Amino acid sequence: MIKDLLIGVDIGGTTVKNAIISTQGEMIAKWEISTRLENKGFSVPQDIWTSIKEKLTDLNIDKSRVLGLGVGAPGFIDPETGKVAIAVNIGWKDFALQNILEDLSGLAVYVDNDANIAALGENWKGSGNQVDNMLAVTLGTGVGGGIIANGKIVSGANGTGAEIGHITVDKNGAPCNCGRTGCLETITSATGIVRQAEIMLAEGKAPKLQKRKEAKTTITTKDIFEIAAEGDKDTKQLLHHVFDVLGFALANIAITTNPSKIVIGGGVSKAGNLLLAPLKDAFEKYTLPRTNEACEFVLAELGNDAGVFGGAYLVLQNSNFSRLNIY
């Protein structure tokens, strides 16, 4: 039987997203299950495979058609072994995710970091448009990154490649969840932007933002972008700092990797051109002119589907399919 189907899995701290995708990139089915965190996430692999088996049965799809499973997981992953060194949100430590899923499914399984998987998906079926050199940045609760060089994800020696959220940008900065201080995500993540806005409000600045907070009790990055767009100078100054720091970091990464595209995703990217235009300006200020000439900034297109598409593509990359057959 022809193996013409792929299964993409994107494991998160709340839900696991699953999808059956054709080798040509057509979404056949997608669904979610809850991530059961009790007992340090021990049952998660079994839950995933049980769910997949049931979906294959419901769709009358024979398992022999499936080329393999591609899995994105949070935390530090050794892509050679598929072992999760640590995933704090789930409770895994030295967790042999690939081996466990292979034993359960009888299929080839490939595992990588969730941000890397999202980058692969966005490049295959999203705004990356199958370029060979790309940098993907996810601006959400934290800052995630994925680097594609010569068509392959850069994972590094032990899975910490492209952890751009933990580039130090302010050695005297705020504490980061990684245990260090002044990481990029302390300034440019949604959490970091709101944290800085709260400090500004405590200093009696940005009265329009203060009124918004009093009306809503909390503020979000959406509020901050909207108030800045209305002309509030304090809020505009805050965002200028965020763009400058992020543009500086991306410029240095770009000089190292020379991408043809930088894809911006995550919740903060919903600001659209209010984010993209000033970020591009900051990037141009710090990078080499020749590096800038080759590089296009675009917004991510796949949203929550990027991870499952990336998981599916990971299977293709690791199979015997040629590049021509993939596309």
Side-chain angles (χ1 to χ4, degrees):
M1 184 174 288
I2 297 174
K3 292 183 179 294
D4 60 345
L5 297 177
L6 315 158
I7 295 176
V9 179
D10 184 10
I11 302 172
T14 304
T15 63
V16 179
K17 298 173 180 65
N18 306 281
I20 301 171
I21 297 171
S22 78
T23 52
Q24 300 304 311
E26 178 190 356
M27 179 76 76
I28 308 299
K30 65 176 180 177
W31 70 101
E32 295 183 5
I33 61 173
S34 296
T35 307
R36 291 202 289 158
L37 300 179
E38 57 266 28
N39 198 18
K40 296 183 178 180
F42 178 80
S43 66
V44 172
Q46 181 66 67
D47 291 346
I48 290 170
W49 179 240
T50 297
S51 157
I52 291 169
K53 274 198 309 181
E54 290 174 353
K55 184 61 69 172
L56 291 173
T57 300
D58 290 345
L59 297 176
N60 197 28
I61 295 173
D62 195 294
K63 189 182 83 168
S64 62
R65 291 178 59 189
V66 178
L67 192 60
L69 274 69
V71 183
F76 299 126
I77 317 293
D78 183 341
E80 294 297 318
T81 65
K83 181 178 284 189
V84 182
I86 185 166
V88 175
N89 290 348
I90 296 178
W92 289 340
K93 186 173 183 180
D94 294 325
F95 192 75
L97 181 59
Q98 178 177 311
N99 289 343
I100 294 169
L101 280 172
E102 285 185 338
D103 289 343
L104 287 169
S105 68
L107 294 167
V109 177
Y110 307 96
V111 180
D112 209 326
N113 171 267
D114 53 358
N116 288 343
I117 291 289
L120 280 177
E122 197 63 51
N123 196 28
W124 184 31
K125 287 295 170 181
S127 56
N129 202 28
Q130 301 167 8
V131 295
D132 283 334
N133 299 284
M134 186 185 94
L135 170 61
V137 183
T138 304
L139 303 173
T141 305
V143 174
I147 295 171
I148 295 175
N150 298 323
K152 298 284 187 179
I153 275 290
V154 175
S155 297
N158 65 358
T160 64
E163 286 287 346
I164 68 171
H166 299 293
I167 295 172
T168 301
V169 293
D170 182 358
K171 63 183 180 181
N172 298 313
C176 181
N177 288 333
C178 73
R180 297 157 62 245
T181 58
C183 291
L184 182 65
E185 71 175 40
T186 67
I187 294 175
T188 66
S189 68
T191 309
I193 294 170
V194 170
R195 177 189 63 79
Q196 293 166 94
E198 292 285 5
I199 292 172
M200 190 172 61
L201 292 176
E203 294 172 346
K205 299 177 180 178
K208 285 187 177 180
L209 188 61
Q210 184 67 57
K211 288 181 179 178
R212 178 74 64 94
K213 183 180 179 182
E214 289 170 359
K216 294 180 57 182
T217 69
T218 59
I219 53 170
T220 65
T221 54
K222 183 173 183 287
D223 297 316
I224 294 165
F225 273 93
E226 287 176 354
I227 296 297
E230 291 174 9
D232 180 80
K233 67 178 182 64
D234 294 326
T235 313
K236 286 173 68 175
Q237 187 175 11
L238 165 60
L239 290 181
H240 175 78
H241 175 61
V242 169
F243 302 144
D244 194 69
V245 170
L246 183 56
F248 177 80
L250 295 182
N252 283 298
I253 297 168
I255 289 171
T256 307
T257 62
N258 197 196
S260 57
K261 280 195 179 181
I262 295 180
V263 179
I264 309 293
V268 178
S269 72
K270 292 178 182 178
N273 206 47
L274 293 176
L275 164 69
L276 217 56
L279 178 58
K280 176 69 171 171
D281 288 343
F283 177 85
E284 289 178 359
K285 182 169 66 173
Y286 293 116
T287 201
L288 287 170
R290 184 167 174 82
T291 304
N292 182 58
E293 286 171 10
C295 189
E296 178 187 5
F297 273 68
V298 294
L299 294 172
E301 294 177 353
L302 296 180
N304 289 334
D305 289 343
V308 292
F309 272 110
Y313 186 79
L314 188 66
V315 177
L316 282 175
Q317 273 199 326
N318 285 280
S319 73
N320 292 324
F321 276 56
S322 71
R323 191 177 178 86
L324 288 175
N325 284 335
I326 290 171
Y327 296 145

